[in-house]
Amino acid sequence: SRTNSAILQDIIPNLYDGKKVYIPNGLNICFKYIKDLLKFKKGKSVLRFKSYKSYQHLFNSAMKQKDAEFINANKLIETYGNDLHGILHSVDESIVDNMEEADLCYSTIHKAKGQDIEIPMRIIGMDDIMGYHNKEGLDKNEVNALYVALTRAKDKIEIPSILIWQTDLFVV
């Protein structure tokens, strides 16, 4: 995934299966960001968002900038609302420190850079990896990020169907 919030979107449905999750460096920064967004949305003052007049002002700015982390965090807030605090606590309890104990391993593309992943891999969070709905085509940075993601796998990789029709991305 490109963002931590997209990782959370994938983890949450798996919580009910009792699966243990490994994430290099955890999700503490992501949790803090989402908790701060929740506070700010409720009208409370949050230092990191002091330059914004309101949550709507932040929302408009983030959408204009296509801020993938905000967009995905906002999706979580809209989907789970006030239950999100409890859900984040449950996610935190499902995270293990050792990859060998995990049922699922997650990483952002940035954290996976330079890694060789020997377990079967699945690309998630396509909305934040690439603007496939963008008629102007893909940004060079997004193509590079996608390349990094696709080249981490040493064995098996599950590629989202949205990439299958994006044949102009691949040179065979």
Side-chain angles (χ1 to χ4, degrees):
S1 170
R2 182 117 168 139
T3 66
N4 287 313
S5 296
I7 288 174
L8 269 174
Q9 287 176 356
D10 200 72
I11 290 173
I12 291 171
N14 292 305
L15 287 176
Y16 304 100
D17 296 337
K19 294 186 177 182
K20 295 295 181 187
V21 176
Y22 173 76
I23 302 164
N25 303 317
L27 283 172
N28 292 332
I29 294 169
C30 181
F31 285 2
K32 174 84 171 110
Y33 180 70
I34 291 172
K35 288 176 183 178
D36 284 350
L37 279 175
L38 280 166
K39 284 180 195 174
F40 193 59
K41 188 168 185 175
K42 291 179 181 179
K44 297 179 181 173
S45 177
V46 177
L47 184 60
R48 77 166 62 188
F49 304 125
K50 70 179 180 181
S51 61
Y52 299 98
K53 298 173 192 168
S54 65
Y55 190 84
Q56 187 62 47
H57 181 223
L58 171 61
F59 178 88
N60 293 341
S61 178
M63 295 306 279
K64 186 177 180 180
Q65 295 173 21
K66 298 179 183 175
D67 181 338
E69 191 68 59
F70 174 86
I71 292 167
N72 282 311
N74 188 64
K75 280 183 198 174
L76 288 168
I77 291 168
E78 294 298 320
T79 302
Y80 298 104
N82 291 331
D83 294 337
L84 194 52
H85 280 290
I87 291 168
L88 292 177
H89 179 72
S90 296
V91 169
D92 194 38
E93 290 194 349
S94 74
I95 294 176
V96 295
D97 294 329
N98 187 341
M99 186 164 47
E100 286 75 35
E101 298 172 20
D103 300 304
L104 301 167
C105 301
Y106 288 90
S107 179
T108 61
I109 293 170
H110 179 73
K111 289 178 190 170
K113 205 171 189 176
Q115 302 290 316
D116 289 328
I117 300 172
E118 296 184 16
I119 58 177
M121 192 171 107
R122 180 169 54 105
I123 306 291
I124 63 168
M126 290 308 299
D127 288 350
D128 66 338
I129 292 174
M130 58 187 268
Y132 60 85
H133 55 279
N134 184 349
K135 292 180 183 175
E136 294 90 44
L138 297 176
D139 177 278
K140 181 181 176 185
N141 292 329
E142 298 308 314
V143 172
N144 290 342
L146 187 57
Y147 172 81
V148 168
L150 292 171
T151 58
R152 299 307 92 211
K154 292 295 267 181
D155 188 17
K156 296 178 183 175
I157 185 168
E158 181 182 322
I159 300 172
S161 60
I162 195 68
L163 288 180
I164 303 305
W165 63 266
Q166 290 280 350
T167 55
D168 61 321
L169 288 177
F170 305 101
V171 176
V172 180

